[in-house]
Amino acid sequence: MGIHVIKMPDLGEGIAEVEVVAWHVQPGDVVKEDQVLADVMTDKATVEIPSPVAGTITSLGGAIGQSLAVGAELIRLEVEGAGNLKDKGAPRAGQEPVTAAAAAAPAEEVAEPQLEAVAANEASGSASAPVSAPASRPAPVSRSAPLLRAEGDKPLAAPAVRQRAWDLGVELQFVAGSGPAGRITHADLDAHVAGHRGGAANGGPDERYAEQHGEHATQVIGLRRKIAEKMQEAKRNIPHFTYVEEVDVTELEALRLQLNARYGAERGKLTLLPLLMRAVVLALREFPMMSARYDDERNLLTTYDAAHIGIAAQTDNGLMVPVVRHAESRDPWSSAAEIARLADAARNGKATRDELTGSTITITSLGALGGIVTTPVINRPEVAIVGVNRIVDRPVIRDGAMVARKMMNLSSSFDHRVIDGMVAAQFVQAIRGYLEFPATLFVE
């Protein structure tokens, strides 16, 4: 038998390190060739790492949320034959593989040291990867209330727990404890009270108003951490300003419904988004500086003749921005089909790195939940983002009469370092003009 070490492969695109976001195996597992071992995340895309050999897992190269450099040890397997490990010495410096013994240790034995490691990182500001700390919950307490201790045995509980029990009228002698040596916790007390519903009707405490003391820590890893970092960088580096304008989309909605009735069966249904994309494309011809990326380290603004429009999409894993490339060359139906394809890929975690990068301006929408006004965060290093709010029927004065019109706000943010307020307002007004007179969307 030999040891085979799988190292983090070079995923291309100049990627120097990745983040481990999921392990699909644990020490002691027997794996087959090509079986997926782990999921790692690059800047945005999640990549599956398969096993090139069959064998038994002996150790993992890091914890969930840890960053590993390209070429670092990812996993070790025991295999038939000599394996590929020439030097059977200790793992590389700074790395402590997760061994079978550690993986099998009870959660109670590892929880406190892990939490201490996280606290130490926070206190020192260390850039080392945080250690995942699984939260342990008390075991469920039986809803019956037998005497759990012998006469004269004093229940173990903190003073705060004893005070709560006194306030609730609960005798701790009848409460099961899930802590060390049977110590009673606040959660045990809550579970005991919940198991005696109806007490309030008999003059006892009403559990609906019982204090809650649960704390649930969730490690921020993977896509959610990337989103947090990107948003923080954008707000730290870009002086945002937001411009909001009201748009009458009554005629646009009427045209959309007419187009869907006439062409929907053969070309597909249109939503508002592809029509808005077309309006943005036409407005960019007048204001090309909006389709741009700003390198603030080199003070270099690059504008693009192409309109690569990012579409902010919410997925189960978090916010992603797939890119409709060369929107200037697409009609509304082509744009709608591409939006649907990219959104499906993003939701299913199948979007490639190329499909999630390279946008020059972004559109963001919360659909029916779009609210009245938003202050969207610019998708750095872009300089502009167009936000769509929901469509509502509002009373509007037209020709001296009050009529109901379909109104929608555009909430757009700009990088004030390179976009002046007047220019931003003119850009939004240009978009508004195309949307309020939708025939102009199809006039070249």
Side-chain angles (χ1 to χ4, degrees), residues 222-245:
L223 179 60
R224 177 50 57 189
R225 185 160 77 180
K226 293 295 183 183
I227 293 171
E229 292 172 352
K230 191 171 182 64
M231 292 297 176
Q232 186 174 11
E233 287 177 1
K235 294 297 287 185
R236 181 171 57 240
N237 290 280
I238 299 175
H240 286 65
F241 78 95
T242 299
Y243 179 82
V244 181
E245 180 57 285

PDB file of all heavy atoms in Angstrom, residues 222-245:
ATOM      1  N   GLY A 222     -17.373  30.730   1.206  1.00  0.00           N
ATOM      2  CA  GLY A 222     -17.797  30.524  -0.166  1.00  0.00           C
ATOM      3  C   GLY A 222     -18.311  31.791  -0.826  1.00  0.00           C
ATOM      4  O   GLY A 222     -17.771  32.878  -0.671  1.00  0.00           O
ATOM      5  N   LEU A 223     -19.398  31.629  -1.587  1.00  0.00           N
ATOM      6  CA  LEU A 223     -19.948  32.743  -2.347  1.00  0.00           C
ATOM      7  C   LEU A 223     -20.371  33.883  -1.437  1.00  0.00           C
ATOM      8  O   LEU A 223     -20.166  35.062  -1.760  1.00  0.00           O
ATOM      9  CB  LEU A 223     -21.135  32.260  -3.185  1.00  0.00           C
ATOM     10  CG  LEU A 223     -21.830  33.330  -4.025  1.00  0.00           C
ATOM     11  CD1 LEU A 223     -20.868  33.951  -5.020  1.00  0.00           C
ATOM     12  CD2 LEU A 223     -23.043  32.745  -4.744  1.00  0.00           C
ATOM     13  N   ARG A 224     -20.953  33.557  -0.271  1.00  0.00           N
ATOM     14  CA  ARG A 224     -21.402  34.626   0.618  1.00  0.00           C
ATOM     15  C   ARG A 224     -20.222  35.482   1.082  1.00  0.00           C
ATOM     16  O   ARG A 224     -20.330  36.696   1.183  1.00  0.00           O
ATOM     17  CB  ARG A 224     -22.125  34.001   1.823  1.00  0.00           C
ATOM     18  CG  ARG A 224     -22.586  34.988   2.880  1.00  0.00           C
ATOM     19  CD  ARG A 224     -23.357  36.156   2.319  1.00  0.00           C
ATOM     20  NE  ARG A 224     -24.526  35.755   1.558  1.00  0.00           N
ATOM     21  CZ  ARG A 224     -25.257  36.583   0.830  1.00  0.00           C
ATOM     22  NH1 ARG A 224     -24.919  37.867   0.759  1.00  0.00           N
ATOM     23  NH2 ARG A 224     -26.289  36.149   0.166  1.00  0.00           N
ATOM     24  N   ARG A 225     -19.059  34.859   1.331  1.00  0.00           N
ATOM     25  CA  ARG A 225     -17.895  35.636   1.726  1.00  0.00           C
ATOM     26  C   ARG A 225     -17.381  36.468   0.554  1.00  0.00           C
ATOM     27  O   ARG A 225     -16.961  37.615   0.733  1.00  0.00           O
ATOM     28  CB  ARG A 225     -16.782  34.729   2.254  1.00  0.00           C
ATOM     29  CG  ARG A 225     -15.593  35.528   2.787  1.00  0.00           C
ATOM     30  CD  ARG A 225     -14.714  34.736   3.717  1.00  0.00           C
ATOM     31  NE  ARG A 225     -13.845  33.819   3.000  1.00  0.00           N
ATOM     32  CZ  ARG A 225     -12.968  33.014   3.606  1.00  0.00           C
ATOM     33  NH1 ARG A 225     -12.895  32.993   4.917  1.00  0.00           N
ATOM     34  NH2 ARG A 225     -12.213  32.216   2.905  1.00  0.00           N
ATOM     35  N   LYS A 226     -17.418  35.907  -0.650  1.00  0.00           N
ATOM     36  CA  LYS A 226     -16.986  36.667  -1.824  1.00  0.00           C
ATOM     37  C   LYS A 226     -17.883  37.887  -2.024  1.00  0.00           C
ATOM     38  O   LYS A 226     -17.413  38.976  -2.362  1.00  0.00           O
ATOM     39  CB  LYS A 226     -17.026  35.773  -3.069  1.00  0.00           C
ATOM     40  CG  LYS A 226     -16.008  34.645  -3.063  1.00  0.00           C
ATOM     41  CD  LYS A 226     -14.589  35.175  -3.110  1.00  0.00           C
ATOM     42  CE  LYS A 226     -13.587  34.033  -3.173  1.00  0.00           C
ATOM     43  NZ  LYS A 226     -12.187  34.525  -3.137  1.00  0.00           N
ATOM     44  N   ILE A 227     -19.194  37.698  -1.838  1.00  0.00           N
ATOM     45  CA  ILE A 227     -20.123  38.819  -1.964  1.00  0.00           C
ATOM     46  C   ILE A 227     -19.796  39.889  -0.930  1.00  0.00           C
ATOM     47  O   ILE A 227     -19.750  41.085  -1.236  1.00  0.00           O
ATOM     48  CB  ILE A 227     -21.574  38.331  -1.799  1.00  0.00           C
ATOM     49  CG1 ILE A 227     -21.970  37.435  -2.980  1.00  0.00           C
ATOM     50  CG2 ILE A 227     -22.536  39.515  -1.697  1.00  0.00           C
ATOM     51  CD1 ILE A 227     -23.303  36.741  -2.794  1.00  0.00           C
ATOM     52  N   ALA A 228     -19.567  39.459   0.309  1.00  0.00           N
ATOM     53  CA  ALA A 228     -19.253  40.412   1.376  1.00  0.00           C
ATOM     54  C   ALA A 228     -17.989  41.201   1.057  1.00  0.00           C
ATOM     55  O   ALA A 228     -17.941  42.427   1.220  1.00  0.00           O
ATOM     56  CB  ALA A 228     -19.096  39.670   2.706  1.00  0.00           C
ATOM     57  N   GLU A 229     -16.953  40.506   0.594  1.00  0.00           N
ATOM     58  CA  GLU A 229     -15.698  41.178   0.271  1.00  0.00           C
ATOM     59  C   GLU A 229     -15.876  42.163  -0.876  1.00  0.00           C
ATOM     60  O   GLU A 229     -15.356  43.282  -0.839  1.00  0.00           O
ATOM     61  CB  GLU A 229     -14.632  40.138  -0.079  1.00  0.00           C
ATOM     62  CG  GLU A 229     -14.196  39.286   1.109  1.00  0.00           C
ATOM     63  CD  GLU A 229     -13.297  38.144   0.693  1.00  0.00           C
ATOM     64  OE1 GLU A 229     -13.143  37.921  -0.542  1.00  0.00           O
ATOM     65  OE2 GLU A 229     -12.755  37.460   1.579  1.00  0.00           O
ATOM     66  N   LYS A 230     -16.631  41.740  -1.902  1.00  0.00           N
ATOM     67  CA  LYS A 230     -16.815  42.595  -3.071  1.00  0.00           C
ATOM     68  C   LYS A 230     -17.624  43.845  -2.713  1.00  0.00           C
ATOM     69  O   LYS A 230     -17.310  44.959  -3.148  1.00  0.00           O
ATOM     70  CB  LYS A 230     -17.514  41.807  -4.180  1.00  0.00           C
ATOM     71  CG  LYS A 230     -17.509  42.510  -5.532  1.00  0.00           C
ATOM     72  CD  LYS A 230     -18.009  41.597  -6.615  1.00  0.00           C
ATOM     73  CE  LYS A 230     -17.962  42.264  -7.980  1.00  0.00           C
ATOM     74  NZ  LYS A 230     -16.583  42.577  -8.414  1.00  0.00           N
ATOM     75  N   MET A 231     -18.672  43.669  -1.917  1.00  0.00           N
ATOM     76  CA  MET A 231     -19.480  44.813  -1.507  1.00  0.00           C
ATOM     77  C   MET A 231     -18.661  45.766  -0.633  1.00  0.00           C
ATOM     78  O   MET A 231     -18.752  46.992  -0.768  1.00  0.00           O
ATOM     79  CB  MET A 231     -20.716  44.339  -0.749  1.00  0.00           C
ATOM     80  CG  MET A 231     -21.720  43.593  -1.613  1.00  0.00           C
ATOM     81  SD  MET A 231     -22.396  44.635  -2.913  1.00  0.00           S
ATOM     82  CE  MET A 231     -23.402  43.436  -3.790  1.00  0.00           C
ATOM     83  N   GLN A 232     -17.859  45.219   0.258  1.00  0.00           N
ATOM     84  CA  GLN A 232     -17.049  46.051   1.131  1.00  0.00           C
ATOM     85  C   GLN A 232     -16.029  46.849   0.328  1.00  0.00           C
ATOM     86  O   GLN A 232     -15.812  48.045   0.570  1.00  0.00           O
ATOM     87  CB  GLN A 232     -16.337  45.185   2.177  1.00  0.00           C
ATOM     88  CG  GLN A 232     -15.582  45.986   3.224  1.00  0.00           C
ATOM     89  CD  GLN A 232     -15.017  45.104   4.316  1.00  0.00           C
ATOM     90  OE1 GLN A 232     -15.015  43.889   4.207  1.00  0.00           O
ATOM     91  NE2 GLN A 232     -14.527  45.708   5.367  1.00  0.00           N
ATOM     92  N   GLU A 233     -15.402  46.195  -0.655  1.00  0.00           N
ATOM     93  CA  GLU A 233     -14.442  46.893  -1.505  1.00  0.00           C
ATOM     94  C   GLU A 233     -15.113  48.013  -2.293  1.00  0.00           C
ATOM     95  O   GLU A 233     -14.570  49.107  -2.432  1.00  0.00           O
ATOM     96  CB  GLU A 233     -13.787  45.900  -2.471  1.00  0.00           C
ATOM     97  CG  GLU A 233     -12.794  44.958  -1.815  1.00  0.00           C
ATOM     98  CD  GLU A 233     -12.234  43.958  -2.808  1.00  0.00           C
ATOM     99  OE1 GLU A 233     -12.619  44.029  -3.998  1.00  0.00           O
ATOM    100  OE2 GLU A 233     -11.429  43.104  -2.399  1.00  0.00           O
ATOM    101  N   ALA A 234     -16.323  47.725  -2.814  1.00  0.00           N
ATOM    102  CA  ALA A 234     -17.034  48.724  -3.606  1.00  0.00           C
ATOM    103  C   ALA A 234     -17.371  49.953  -2.762  1.00  0.00           C
ATOM    104  O   ALA A 234     -17.161  51.093  -3.183  1.00  0.00           O
ATOM    105  CB  ALA A 234     -18.301  48.120  -4.211  1.00  0.00           C
ATOM    106  N   LYS A 235     -17.905  49.741  -1.556  1.00  0.00           N
ATOM    107  CA  LYS A 235     -18.293  50.867  -0.713  1.00  0.00           C
ATOM    108  C   LYS A 235     -17.086  51.611  -0.153  1.00  0.00           C
ATOM    109  O   LYS A 235     -17.139  52.812   0.091  1.00  0.00           O
ATOM    110  CB  LYS A 235     -19.192  50.390   0.429  1.00  0.00           C
ATOM    111  CG  LYS A 235     -20.536  49.865  -0.034  1.00  0.00           C
ATOM    112  CD  LYS A 235     -21.367  50.938  -0.716  1.00  0.00           C
ATOM    113  CE  LYS A 235     -21.910  51.948   0.233  1.00  0.00           C
ATOM    114  NZ  LYS A 235     -22.816  52.911  -0.407  1.00  0.00           N
ATOM    115  N   ARG A 236     -15.987  50.891   0.062  1.00  0.00           N
ATOM    116  CA  ARG A 236     -14.790  51.525   0.607  1.00  0.00           C
ATOM    117  C   ARG A 236     -14.079  52.367  -0.444  1.00  0.00           C
ATOM    118  O   ARG A 236     -13.500  53.415  -0.135  1.00  0.00           O
ATOM    119  CB  ARG A 236     -13.837  50.461   1.150  1.00  0.00           C
ATOM    120  CG  ARG A 236     -12.558  51.043   1.763  1.00  0.00           C
ATOM    121  CD  ARG A 236     -11.743  49.989   2.472  1.00  0.00           C
ATOM    122  NE  ARG A 236     -11.393  48.885   1.605  1.00  0.00           N
ATOM    123  CZ  ARG A 236     -11.742  47.637   1.808  1.00  0.00           C
ATOM    124  NH1 ARG A 236     -12.485  47.308   2.851  1.00  0.00           N
ATOM    125  NH2 ARG A 236     -11.385  46.672   0.975  1.00  0.00           N
ATOM    126  N   ASN A 237     -14.107  51.924  -1.698  1.00  0.00           N
ATOM    127  CA  ASN A 237     -13.315  52.582  -2.734  1.00  0.00           C
ATOM    128  C   ASN A 237     -14.105  53.541  -3.615  1.00  0.00           C
ATOM    129  O   ASN A 237     -13.509  54.437  -4.219  1.00  0.00           O
ATOM    130  CB  ASN A 237     -12.663  51.520  -3.633  1.00  0.00           C
ATOM    131  CG  ASN A 237     -11.562  50.750  -2.924  1.00  0.00           C
ATOM    132  OD1 ASN A 237     -10.446  51.218  -2.795  1.00  0.00           O
ATOM    133  ND2 ASN A 237     -11.893  49.553  -2.457  1.00  0.00           N
ATOM    134  N   ILE A 238     -15.423  53.350  -3.722  1.00  0.00           N
ATOM    135  CA  ILE A 238     -16.208  54.151  -4.663  1.00  0.00           C
ATOM    136  C   ILE A 238     -17.084  55.149  -3.916  1.00  0.00           C
ATOM    137  O   ILE A 238     -17.882  54.753  -3.059  1.00  0.00           O
ATOM    138  CB  ILE A 238     -17.101  53.248  -5.536  1.00  0.00           C
ATOM    139  CG1 ILE A 238     -16.248  52.276  -6.353  1.00  0.00           C
ATOM    140  CG2 ILE A 238     -17.968  54.088  -6.461  1.00  0.00           C
ATOM    141  CD1 ILE A 238     -17.064  51.273  -7.153  1.00  0.00           C
ATOM    142  N   PRO A 239     -16.964  56.432  -4.233  1.00  0.00           N
ATOM    143  CA  PRO A 239     -17.909  57.424  -3.683  1.00  0.00           C
ATOM    144  C   PRO A 239     -19.217  57.368  -4.470  1.00  0.00           C
ATOM    145  O   PRO A 239     -19.349  57.993  -5.524  1.00  0.00           O
ATOM    146  CB  PRO A 239     -17.171  58.754  -3.866  1.00  0.00           C
ATOM    147  CG  PRO A 239     -16.242  58.527  -5.014  1.00  0.00           C
ATOM    148  CD  PRO A 239     -15.879  57.075  -5.002  1.00  0.00           C
ATOM    149  N   HIS A 240     -20.160  56.592  -3.982  1.00  0.00           N
ATOM    150  CA  HIS A 240     -21.436  56.402  -4.671  1.00  0.00           C
ATOM    151  C   HIS A 240     -22.294  57.670  -4.593  1.00  0.00           C
ATOM    152  O   HIS A 240     -22.266  58.389  -3.598  1.00  0.00           O
ATOM    153  CB  HIS A 240     -22.246  55.282  -4.014  1.00  0.00           C
ATOM    154  CG  HIS A 240     -21.743  53.900  -4.288  1.00  0.00           C
ATOM    155  ND1 HIS A 240     -20.521  53.449  -3.853  1.00  0.00           N
ATOM    156  CD2 HIS A 240     -22.317  52.848  -4.937  1.00  0.00           C
ATOM    157  CE1 HIS A 240     -20.361  52.187  -4.229  1.00  0.00           C
ATOM    158  NE2 HIS A 240     -21.427  51.800  -4.891  1.00  0.00           N
ATOM    159  N   PHE A 241     -23.054  57.901  -5.639  1.00  0.00           N
ATOM    160  CA  PHE A 241     -24.215  58.775  -5.508  1.00  0.00           C
ATOM    161  C   PHE A 241     -25.346  58.162  -6.326  1.00  0.00           C
ATOM    162  O   PHE A 241     -25.114  57.537  -7.360  1.00  0.00           O
ATOM    163  CB  PHE A 241     -23.928  60.230  -5.927  1.00  0.00           C
ATOM    164  CG  PHE A 241     -23.892  60.469  -7.411  1.00  0.00           C
ATOM    165  CD1 PHE A 241     -25.025  60.913  -8.089  1.00  0.00           C
ATOM    166  CD2 PHE A 241     -22.717  60.296  -8.126  1.00  0.00           C
ATOM    167  CE1 PHE A 241     -24.979  61.163  -9.457  1.00  0.00           C
ATOM    168  CE2 PHE A 241     -22.665  60.546  -9.480  1.00  0.00           C
ATOM    169  CZ  PHE A 241     -23.804  60.980 -10.156  1.00  0.00           C
ATOM    170  N   THR A 242     -26.559  58.282  -5.803  1.00  0.00           N
ATOM    171  CA  THR A 242     -27.722  57.625  -6.404  1.00  0.00           C
ATOM    172  C   THR A 242     -28.689  58.679  -6.938  1.00  0.00           C
ATOM    173  O   THR A 242     -28.972  59.676  -6.265  1.00  0.00           O
ATOM    174  CB  THR A 242     -28.422  56.723  -5.375  1.00  0.00           C
ATOM    175  OG1 THR A 242     -27.503  55.716  -4.934  1.00  0.00           O
ATOM    176  CG2 THR A 242     -29.640  56.042  -5.975  1.00  0.00           C
ATOM    177  N   TYR A 243     -29.186  58.436  -8.123  1.00  0.00           N
ATOM    178  CA  TYR A 243     -30.141  59.331  -8.781  1.00  0.00           C
ATOM    179  C   TYR A 243     -31.411  58.527  -9.061  1.00  0.00           C
ATOM    180  O   TYR A 243     -31.347  57.447  -9.649  1.00  0.00           O
ATOM    181  CB  TYR A 243     -29.545  59.862 -10.079  1.00  0.00           C
ATOM    182  CG  TYR A 243     -30.443  60.778 -10.877  1.00  0.00           C
ATOM    183  CD1 TYR A 243     -30.558  62.127 -10.571  1.00  0.00           C
ATOM    184  CD2 TYR A 243     -31.177  60.277 -11.954  1.00  0.00           C
ATOM    185  CE1 TYR A 243     -31.369  62.964 -11.317  1.00  0.00           C
ATOM    186  CE2 TYR A 243     -31.990  61.104 -12.709  1.00  0.00           C
ATOM    187  CZ  TYR A 243     -32.083  62.454 -12.384  1.00  0.00           C
ATOM    188  OH  TYR A 243     -32.910  63.275 -13.128  1.00  0.00           O
ATOM    189  N   VAL A 244     -32.562  59.050  -8.630  1.00  0.00           N
ATOM    190  CA  VAL A 244     -33.837  58.342  -8.776  1.00  0.00           C
ATOM    191  C   VAL A 244     -34.753  59.153  -9.691  1.00  0.00           C
ATOM    192  O   VAL A 244     -34.904  60.364  -9.507  1.00  0.00           O
ATOM    193  CB  VAL A 244     -34.520  58.128  -7.409  1.00  0.00           C
ATOM    194  CG1 VAL A 244     -35.829  57.362  -7.580  1.00  0.00           C
ATOM    195  CG2 VAL A 244     -33.585  57.386  -6.458  1.00  0.00           C
ATOM    196  N   GLU A 245     -35.351  58.471 -10.662  1.00  0.00           N
ATOM    197  CA  GLU A 245     -36.282  59.130 -11.579  1.00  0.00           C
ATOM    198  C   GLU A 245     -37.517  58.260 -11.773  1.00  0.00           C
ATOM    199  O   GLU A 245     -37.434  57.029 -11.805  1.00  0.00           O
ATOM    200  CB  GLU A 245     -35.623  59.394 -12.930  1.00  0.00           C
ATOM    201  CG  GLU A 245     -36.504  60.079 -13.957  1.00  0.00           C
ATOM    202  CD  GLU A 245     -37.072  61.412 -13.496  1.00  0.00           C
ATOM    203  OE1 GLU A 245     -38.014  61.388 -12.663  1.00  0.00           O
ATOM    204  OE2 GLU A 245     -36.576  62.455 -13.946  1.00  0.00           O
TER     205      GLU A 245
END
